[in-house]
């Protein structure tokens, strides 16, 4: 179940929406929050890979030889934006264990709300792979835009962005900077507040993941 418009896909599957509501609750434990994020990451991975190319291959079942579909050799990279983006990673790797992993270390300056890079490491053949960039929140979009900028500088061409929540302001900024990169999200919330947080949102995903709130 998805709704797509202008390069943005909202994954409104009942399981995704139920788990997201549980995550929004302010008294949700760190352990539960982390587990739910992992589970939603797996469910979102189904959607972001829905259009992977397929090809037929011959196999032998216990009964007979048969032509059956497999993914057509598409190489993938999962690129979480540190720190909260790693919450999606395990669930996605469960589904695509052969995927390579890039790490993009960015933090948001509390005064300017701009993204500051402190770490970047990606596979050398990233230009030949589909890259799924992940961060739970698309708020101001400064971190997401900076991450995509950096990946494109390294030669990445086939890029997709996955998040848990998005603000309209973040979507506008992201699509303005990178109209070629599609977005998958579980929900589009109302707005950003004066501190750059998504409302109603779920607070700071990184703090809630690591119990530092």
């Amino acid at each position: 179940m998805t709704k797509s418009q202008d390069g943005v896909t909202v994954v409104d599957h009942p399981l995704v929406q139920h788990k997201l509501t549980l995550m929004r609750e302010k008294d949700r434990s760190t352990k539960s929050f982390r587990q739910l994020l992992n589970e939603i990451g797996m469910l979102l991975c189904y959607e972001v890979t829905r259009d992977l190319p397929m090809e037929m291959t011959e196999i032998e079942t216990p009964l007979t030889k048969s032509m059956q579909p497999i993914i057509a050799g598409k190489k993938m990279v999962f690129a979480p934006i540190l720190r909260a983006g790693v919450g999606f990673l395990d669930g996605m790797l469960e589904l695509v264990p052969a995927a390579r992993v890039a790490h993009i270390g960015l933090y948001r300056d509390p005064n300017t709300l701009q993204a500051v890079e402190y770490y970047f490491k990606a596979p050398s053949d990233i230009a030949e792979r589909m890259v799924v960039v992940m961060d739970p929140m698309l708020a101001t979009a400064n971190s997401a835009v900076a991450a995509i900028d950096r990946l494109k500088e390294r030669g990445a061409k086939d890029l997709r962005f996955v998040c848990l929540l998005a603000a309209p302001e973040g979507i506008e900024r992201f699509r303005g900077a990178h109209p070629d990169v599609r977005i998958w999200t579980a929900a589009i919330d109302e707005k950003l507040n004066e501190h750059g947080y998504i409302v109603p949102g779920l607070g700071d995903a990184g703090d809630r993941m690591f119990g530092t709130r």
Side-chain angles (χ1 to χ4, degrees):
M1 297 181 183
T2 60
K3 298 176 182 177
S4 299
Q5 185 176 3
D6 298 328
V8 181
T9 298
V10 177
V11 181
D12 60 353
H13 190 286
L15 283 175
V16 172
Q17 296 305 310
H18 173 78
K19 292 175 186 296
L20 175 57
T21 295
L22 296 179
M23 292 183 71
R24 289 183 189 271
E25 295 173 343
K26 68 176 183 178
D27 295 325
R28 181 68 44 186
S29 71
T30 297
K31 179 181 178 182
S32 178
F33 186 92
R34 191 183 299 129
Q35 179 63 34
L36 288 163
L37 182 57
N38 180 74
E39 292 169 359
I40 291 181
M42 188 179 297
L43 293 167
L44 292 175
C45 188
Y46 280 110
E47 296 299 335
V48 78
T49 58
R50 179 179 289 276
D51 63 348
L52 291 180
M54 305 292 291
E55 64 185 10
M56 302 301 290
T57 187
E58 185 177 11
I59 65 166
E60 188 168 357
T61 76
L63 301 178
T64 185
K65 290 184 178 180
S66 175
M67 297 297 291
Q68 297 295 331
I70 61 170
I71 295 172
K74 189 71 174 180
K75 299 177 180 179
M76 294 182 66
V77 171
F78 292 142
I81 298 176
L82 305 178
R83 60 185 172 161
V86 297
F88 281 143
L89 188 58
D90 286 346
M92 293 194 177
L93 285 173
E94 283 287 321
L95 295 180
V96 193
R100 302 286 297 277
V101 178
H103 289 97
I104 306 166
L106 296 166
Y107 70 88
R108 186 169 68 170
D109 185 289
N111 297 315
T112 66
L113 303 184
Q114 296 301 307
V116 180
E117 180 182 318
Y118 63 89
Y119 185 79
F120 182 90
K121 191 170 182 63
S124 59
D125 62 347
I126 198 166
E128 302 167 15
R129 295 174 177 266
M130 185 181 88
V131 183
V132 179
V133 183
M134 56 190 82
D135 194 1
M137 315 299 279
L138 185 63
T140 62
N142 290 334
S143 294
V145 168
I148 300 292
D149 286 343
R150 193 76 168 85
L151 289 162
K152 285 184 174 180
E153 288 171 7
R154 289 291 296 271
K157 302 178 183 68
D158 185 358
L159 290 141
R160 302 174 181 205
F161 183 81
V162 179
C163 61
L164 188 63
L165 291 180
E169 299 94 328
I171 291 173
E172 182 178 5
R173 163 102 166 89
F174 186 98
R175 296 290 297 159
H178 295 292
D180 57 315
V181 180
R182 292 165 59 194
I183 299 168
W184 280 260
T185 184
I188 300 173
D189 273 11
E190 181 184 342
K191 63 180 181 180
L192 294 180
N193 67 13
E194 63 273 18
H195 302 294
Y197 283 92
I198 297 174
V199 177
L202 49 74
D204 187 301
D207 285 352
R208 297 191 66 188
M209 268 183 60
F210 297 106
T212 55
R213 56 178 171 149

